[in-house]
Amino acid sequence: MPSLIRAERIGLVFRNTRSALLGNLLVAFLGLVILWPHVAPAISLVWILGLLTILTIRWRIKRAYVRQTGDHRVSMDVWGRRLFVVLILNGFWWGGFSLLLLVHADASQIGFVSFIVGGMMSAAVATLGPLRSVYLGFTLPMIACLFGGLIWRGGHESWFMVSFAAAFEITMIATVWQISGIVSRNIELRLQNEGLVRSLTRINAELAHEIEERRDAEARSAFLATHDALTGLPNRRMQEDRFVQALGHVARGGGLVAILFIDLDRFKQVNDTLGHAAGDSLLRVLAGRLRDALRSGDSVCRQGGDEFLVLLVDIADRHEIAAVAQRIIQSLRDPVELAGEQIQVGCSIGISLYPDDGDDFELLVSRADQALYRVKHQGRDSYRFFVADRRQRDGERS
């Protein structure tokens, strides 16, 4: 934290450079007007050119600071030392101005020296106050030159001005000490607030991320509770719920509800020859084909393994069911490119109907499975409706 505070104080002094240079130029113009009648023009020109050179260096350092503050290879202390050196030169140059006046001006104009030096010291409180070292580097050379010149002149008035200038410098230094402390405290509070804001922002982002992850996990859990993880199809539980809904629809409008029990043919050979990963890929492809082969309002779920249950609702007759079954068989019969090979499996379908074969979901699935069993034993790659044998008919009648 102390290094950050010092860096902020150095940066604040650099940001005040423009106003400080303007102040120097204005006072330099006033000083030149006072100096010119009493000092040889060559000396006045040397002084003003030297001051302009120092101010130009100070401005170039400020520009370099603005360009390179992002370069961490140059520490802030380096910028502080550069600023300190150029301000010592600046202070000595203004001190030289006071010596010139004290040596060459008459007694009536000596007051201008204290006026100009005191004004520069006062103005520097605002522009250099955040950094005590540079304020001292600027004002102590000025006041030292002023003291030297006054002591050289001698006299009661000179000693009075020395005492007055010393008291003024001490007052300014005490003021700068207070201002620097206030600036440091404000910077510290601002950095603490910024740190708190960053912490709160990070915590909020982490909380938002955690909430989002929890929401995604809950959505995933809800999805997995009603869907098959491999194919993304509804699971048997959701299919049973849809069956119940379909019964309500049929009760109001009439018609049939069909359950198609689908089993893939030769799927075990795929797993045995290409591996289970290839089998899973095949299941995902065929699940998508099943969805595409159905009508709007119908649904398919994965029963398990290579078995699927299709629910057909709002069916007018068996011919419509047979058309859907034939479309499914043709869709699943088409080859699938897998692991660089053309894989062809096909399917067998057993069909049960509501209300003809029962009104319970489990019963209808069982009877569709029985119809599927007969298809398997009659050559596969086809479909068959459930037909009750004599024992089943006798059991239902009893």
Side-chain angles (χ1 to χ4, degrees):
M1 181 68 76
S3 60
L4 289 177
I5 293 174
R6 177 167 174 77
E8 289 287 333
R9 289 163 58 194
I10 293 173
L12 186 58
V13 172
F14 271 112
R15 288 193 290 273
N16 293 332
T17 299
R18 184 187 297 273
S19 58
L21 295 184
L22 289 176
N24 271 261
L25 290 173
L26 290 174
V27 179
F29 175 76
L30 176 61
L32 194 60
V33 170
I34 298 170
L35 196 64
W36 192 267
H38 306 285
V39 181
I43 296 176
S44 297
L45 288 175
V46 168
W47 179 82
I48 191 65
L49 289 175
L51 180 65
L52 291 175
T53 301
I54 293 171
L55 298 183
T56 301
I57 294 172
R58 186 173 171 185
W59 177 253
R60 289 175 67 87
I61 291 175
K62 188 258 185 184
R63 293 290 300 273
Y65 166 82
V66 172
R67 289 194 303 269
Q68 299 180 20
T69 47
D71 187 354
H72 298 293
R73 293 172 297 179
V74 182
S75 70
M76 291 303 296
D77 284 335
V78 171
W79 293 110
R81 287 194 293 270
R82 291 174 181 176
L83 188 61
F84 180 73
V85 170
V86 76
L87 282 167
I88 287 179
L89 293 175
N90 202 3
F92 273 117
W93 212 253
W94 278 107
F97 169 79
S98 66
L99 287 176
L100 289 174
L101 272 184
L102 288 171
V103 171
H104 296 284
D106 55 41
S108 64
Q109 294 177 324
I110 297 302
F112 283 111
V113 176
S114 299
F115 172 76
I116 290 176
V117 172
M120 294 297 294
M121 292 167 58
S122 299
V125 171
T127 57
L128 305 179
L131 205 58
R132 298 165 182 167
S133 60
V134 295
Y135 180 81
L136 295 176
F138 178 63
T139 61
L140 288 181
M142 279 196 300
I143 204 70
C145 291
L146 179 61
F147 284 175
L150 290 171
I151 293 172
W152 176 82
R153 285 183 66 90
H156 177 74
E157 295 82 0
S158 295
W159 283 105
F160 173 78
M161 290 181 65
V162 167
S163 301
F164 178 80
F168 185 77
E169 171 71 352
I170 292 171
T171 302
M172 291 296 99
I173 291 174
T175 302
V176 166
W177 239 252
Q178 291 180 346
I179 290 175
S180 180
I182 293 171
V183 170
S184 296
R185 182 57 179 163
N186 289 339
I187 292 173
E188 181 181 3
L189 290 174
R190 179 172 60 79
L191 292 176
Q192 288 176 351
N193 289 337
E194 290 176 354
L196 181 60
V197 170
R198 285 194 297 270
S199 297
L200 290 176
T201 302
R202 177 179 53 79
I203 291 172
N204 287 337
E206 290 175 354
L207 286 175
H209 182 67
E210 184 178 342
I211 291 171
E212 186 66 24
E213 285 186 339
R214 186 175 301 173
R215 186 182 295 117
D216 291 343
E218 290 174 352
R220 179 66 177 169
S221 297
F223 179 84
L224 292 178
T226 55
H227 289 76
D228 173 58
L230 176 63
T231 62
L233 293 176
N235 58 17
R236 182 184 172 109
R237 172 185 169 185
M238 178 173 278
Q239 196 75 314
E240 185 172 359
D241 291 340
R242 290 179 175 177
F243 172 77
V244 174
Q245 297 172 10
L247 294 190
H249 179 75
V250 169
R252 291 189 299 271
L256 300 173
V257 175
I259 291 181
L260 282 62
F261 199 125
I262 302 172
D263 183 71
L264 300 180
D265 298 332
R266 298 177 298 278
F267 179 77
K268 186 177 182 300
Q269 297 176 13
V270 176
N271 275 338
D272 292 341
T273 57
L274 300 180
H276 289 280
D280 290 345
S281 298
L282 179 62
L283 285 174
R284 284 191 287 267
V285 172
L286 297 182
R289 289 186 181 180
L290 269 174
R291 277 193 301 260
D292 296 339
L294 299 180
R295 309 167 308 157
S296 175
D298 298 335
S299 63
V300 57
C301 81
R302 186 183 178 200
Q303 165 80 357
D306 60 341
E307 297 176 341
F308 300 88
L309 291 179
V310 170
L311 180 67
L312 305 181
V313 299
D314 196 20
I315 299 293
D317 52 42
R318 296 189 175 216
H319 295 292
E320 191 173 357
I321 298 171
V324 174
Q326 193 59 50
R327 188 164 62 247
I328 290 173
I329 291 172
Q330 183 58 49
S331 175
L332 300 187
R333 184 187 295 155
D334 293 339
V336 177
E337 185 174 348
L338 203 64
E341 299 185 25
Q342 295 292 324
I343 306 300
Q344 188 174 23
V345 289
C347 69
S348 301
I349 304 175
I351 306 171
S352 62
L353 302 176
Y354 168 87
D356 298 359
D357 302 322
D359 57 4
D360 178 74
F361 180 76
E362 295 295 338
L363 176 62
L364 290 172
V365 170
S366 174
R367 291 187 167 177
D369 188 26
Q370 293 177 35
L372 172 65
Y373 177 79
R374 294 186 178 181
V375 175
K376 290 283 189 180
H377 281 271
Q378 291 175 358
R380 305 180 179 181
D381 198 35
S382 184
Y383 67 90
R384 182 182 179 91
F385 286 91
F386 170 77
V387 177
D389 57 25
R390 188 174 66 180
R391 286 180 301 170
Q392 288 172 323
R393 290 193 295 267
D394 291 343
E396 291 172 358
R397 280 197 294 270
S398 62

